[in-house]
Amino acid sequence: MPNRAQSVHVKIVLDVICAHSYLGYSRLIRAADRLRSQDVAVTVEVSPFELAPGASTEGQPLLAVLEQTFGPEVAAGTASFAARAALEGLRFEYGKAIATGTFEAHRLIASAALQHKAEPMVERLFRAHFTDGLHIGDPGTLARLAAEVGVVMDGVPTGELHARLERVRRLGVTGVPIFLIERLPPLTGSQSENTLFAALTEAHR
């Protein structure tokens, strides 16, 4: 009988201002928890990606930025997406969301990973941006969110994070989320929970 892996490792490339990343990440964690309930250790590693590299952290209303980029029809699209996400328990408040650069948010995630708290930190950043209307490019906001999750902002070096972002870019990544489950081909886009669970289960075999 072949040996079964006692643990499964999955890497997700995401940005915390990406709606599809939020949906995909939530589905991944639900799928991982289903496998964890079977006493399989599932480790989730987050790789950083910036939708808007070098974007200002001054903060602007997200809908206004989206309408300027994609046109007035974007409002209907975001409302439709929010309605679909609500069926899975996620609340998207586009009218409150603030567009911002995410470099420092990714640094916070990197710090959280060193403290084995990446999963709750990523979820809190997504929810802060899309649900609570918080400015996740603001240092004070990031400090409050870190304290809420119990993460010490230990200052992962700027150069180290730039190197991680560059490694992702060199892979040819232009959109997120991307799921890299060991021994399996990459999965892209907000895959269904069942698809992700099937992939994790296959990796476990």
Side-chain angles (χ1 to χ4, degrees):
M1 183 176 180
N3 291 329
R4 289 163 63 89
Q6 297 304 305
S7 64
V8 178
H9 180 265
V10 54
K11 181 183 294 184
I12 178 171
V13 186
L14 58 74
D15 196 359
V16 285
I17 57 167
C18 171
H20 290 282
S21 288
Y22 189 10
L23 187 59
Y25 180 77
S26 298
R27 290 171 175 173
L28 173 64
I29 296 304
R30 291 199 301 269
D33 284 343
R34 285 166 62 183
L35 198 56
R36 288 164 175 162
S37 72
Q38 301 175 22
D39 294 325
V40 178
V42 181
T43 58
V44 177
E45 178 185 348
V46 176
S47 281
F49 180 83
E50 291 178 296
L51 284 181
S56 169
T57 56
E58 292 182 2
Q60 300 179 64
L62 177 60
L63 274 181
V65 172
L66 292 176
E67 288 175 356
Q68 184 178 10
T69 304
F70 300 109
E73 67 278 2
V74 78
T78 55
S80 175
F81 186 92
R84 294 196 305 273
L87 298 176
E88 300 186 33
L90 301 180
R91 197 167 94 243
F92 281 74
E93 299 283 355
Y94 279 99
K96 297 194 301 184
I98 299 172
T100 184
T102 54
F103 185 86
E104 292 301 324
H106 283 300
R107 278 223 296 171
L108 175 54
I109 292 169
S111 292
L114 294 175
Q115 298 163 56
H116 307 289
K117 294 181 179 179
E119 287 184 32
M121 193 72 258
V122 171
E123 189 281 331
R124 187 63 188 102
L125 285 165
F126 273 130
R127 184 159 43 90
H129 176 66
F130 284 107
T131 304
D132 301 334
L134 299 178
H135 181 187
I136 63 170
D138 173 68
T141 299
L142 291 175
R144 289 193 296 274
L145 294 173
E148 185 178 322
V149 176
V151 170
V152 177
M153 300 179 72
D154 64 353
V156 170
T158 297
E160 181 178 327
L161 184 57
H162 277 303
R164 294 184 189 182
L165 288 163
E166 181 57 30
R167 281 197 295 272
V168 170
R169 282 192 289 268
R170 284 202 303 268
L171 292 174
V173 175
T174 58
V176 287
I178 298 175
F179 306 89
L180 304 169
I181 301 173
E182 54 186 325
R183 298 186 295 277
L184 299 179
L187 295 171
T188 61
S190 44
Q191 300 284 330
S192 73
E193 178 185 336
N194 284 339
T195 295
L196 293 167
F197 179 70
L200 292 172
T201 301
E202 183 178 349
H204 173 234
R205 291 193 179 112

